[in-house]
Amino acid sequence: MAKKEAKPNPLIGQVQLSTGTASTPYRVSDGNCLIIGGTADLSVVKERLDGQAVYPIETKDGKALMLIKLCDFQEADLGPHVELQYSYLVSRSPLTALKPHPFGILKIIANEPKVGLYADQVWNDTEPVIAYNNEYLGLNAHLCNGAISRDEEKGTKKFIFTDLDTGESLLEGEVSESPKNLTQTTIKLIRLMGIKNAFKFATRFWIKAKVINPIGKVHPENWAAETFLHAESVVVQPFDPNLDKIKFGNPSDIKLNFEPQFIEHMNKIKFVHLEPKIWEKEKKKSRFSFGK
């Protein structure tokens, strides 16, 4: 008999914020998420991690691994809102450099408990969500205007995020959602991750990941908050520079020299973000081979 799929089952609590009372853990019951994964300039990422007790996951060609998450949360505990988040894959101690692979980030998330997603920058478009992210989760969240639109006929998604205070562009672009070589992509994922883990990213499994907060007044250490993400439909595809375009607006973000490698469309999602806790040492040995 097949094992039942593990699902988050946290206790419900409350937290008092400057904007009022909010329930914990934070839940999204419907929405869409676009993830763009790739590499960034290692020296710039190390500068951004200066003073943090974490280390970026490096590739053998001297890059850092980075994720961009763009979400349209339509039904959530604090009401509908959008989110833009820049994260780097990190560990608490240096790990051996990883052999470059366009879908390598997905394998790490699926297999490596020693790695978390350090939330460098977060933007949301409502005050209650900003308060929750900053005052409870200890993230570096800012107000923005953001929109993600989907053209089903063209098979594309457009997005634009701007800083609410300055009106300057943060990130904008358009990506495809109708990959021509979906079968080839699936084969590559299976070869990289194995059948079980590959299908976690293409079926209705709950994907588990740790979000690591910056050291600050709320949390004096880099704590880890477990998150769970479930999608009714998932499309993973290579980033095609002939079809897919993204543009950073902030000069400091342009310096990251982000090179996108893959796109993951996750539609009709459910999401749970648990409370941050001390990043405990993993008792089990690493199940992921870094660059052997």
Side-chain angles (χ1 to χ4, degrees), residues 12-285:
I12 300 297
Q14 288 188 329
V15 60
Q16 189 63 40
L17 306 172
S18 61
T19 54
T21 302
S23 63
T24 64
Y26 196 69
R27 300 169 185 262
V28 174
S29 55
D30 192 15
N32 303 302
C33 189
L34 168 65
I35 295 175
I36 305 174
T39 63
D41 187 296
L42 180 60
S43 63
V44 176
V45 171
K46 285 184 175 180
E47 286 180 7
R48 292 199 174 195
L49 294 176
D50 185 39
Q52 306 295 323
V54 296
Y55 297 83
I57 303 302
E58 303 181 19
T59 61
K60 286 189 173 181
D61 56 353
K63 304 290 181 63
L65 298 179
M66 177 176 171
L67 281 181
I68 299 175
K69 184 174 74 172
L70 306 100
C71 296
D72 178 12
F73 295 134
Q74 298 164 6
E75 295 181 15
D77 285 351
L78 290 173
H81 63 280
V82 298
E83 178 163 303
L84 169 63
Q85 183 178 135
Y86 298 161
S87 300
Y88 315 123
L89 275 71
V90 300
S91 58
R92 291 185 301 169
S93 58
L95 297 176
T96 305
L98 173 67
K99 184 178 180 180
H101 191 286
F103 299 113
I105 290 176
L106 297 179
K107 180 175 181 178
I108 296 174
I109 293 174
N111 289 274
E112 182 48 77
K114 293 181 180 179
V115 172
L117 300 173
Y118 175 84
D120 181 32
Q121 297 182 78
V122 181
W123 291 272
N124 303 103
D125 62 343
T126 69
E127 291 281 3
V129 176
I130 292 292
Y132 190 93
N133 281 338
N134 284 337
E135 298 169 22
Y136 182 62
L137 298 181
L139 303 179
N140 182 27
H142 304 278
L143 274 170
C144 73
N145 284 319
I148 305 171
S149 60
R150 188 182 190 189
D151 189 325
E152 294 189 8
E153 290 187 4
K154 291 177 59 180
T156 60
K157 279 183 181 175
K158 285 185 178 181
F159 50 87
I160 181 168
F161 284 79
T162 58
D163 187 289
L164 190 63
D165 294 327
T166 65
E168 295 178 347
S169 173
L170 295 168
L171 186 73
E172 61 182 285
E174 180 175 2
V175 296
S176 60
E177 196 180 359
S178 54
K180 297 179 180 179
N181 300 313
L182 183 58
T183 301
Q184 293 181 16
T185 299
T186 302
I187 292 173
K188 289 180 181 179
L189 286 171
I190 292 173
R191 287 175 176 172
L192 175 69
M193 304 169 64
I195 293 177
K196 181 179 178 180
N197 286 319
F199 277 90
K200 281 186 179 181
F201 288 89
T203 57
R204 299 180 181 183
F205 281 82
W206 286 88
I207 303 299
K208 179 181 176 181
K210 296 184 186 76
V211 172
I212 312 303
N213 60 262
I215 294 173
K217 294 181 180 179
V218 177
H219 303 306
E221 299 178 15
N222 295 117
W223 286 9
E226 289 189 337
T227 66
F228 296 84
L229 181 63
H230 170 284
E232 289 296 322
S233 67
V234 181
V235 174
V236 180
Q237 62 192 78
F239 187 94
D240 185 345
N242 295 317
L243 300 173
D244 309 315
K245 307 294 180 184
I246 62 171
K247 181 181 179 181
F248 292 90
N250 191 313
S252 64
D253 297 330
I254 294 173
K255 290 181 180 179
L256 285 165
N257 290 321
F258 179 68
E259 297 180 6
Q261 294 178 319
F262 73 88
I263 301 169
E264 185 173 15
H265 299 277
M266 309 183 79
N267 299 318
K268 299 294 293 181
I269 69 166
K270 298 181 186 299
F271 178 71
V272 181
H273 193 134
L274 304 188
E275 66 175 319
K277 295 181 179 180
I278 295 174
W279 196 350
E280 298 288 352
K281 292 183 178 180
E282 295 291 341
K283 296 180 181 180
K284 296 181 180 180
K285 292 183 178 180

Side-chain angles (χ1 to χ4, degrees), residues 60 96-99 286 288-292:
K60 286 189 173 181
T96 305
L98 173 67
K99 184 178 180 180
S286 171
F288 187 77
S289 176
F290 283 81
K292 288 186 178 180

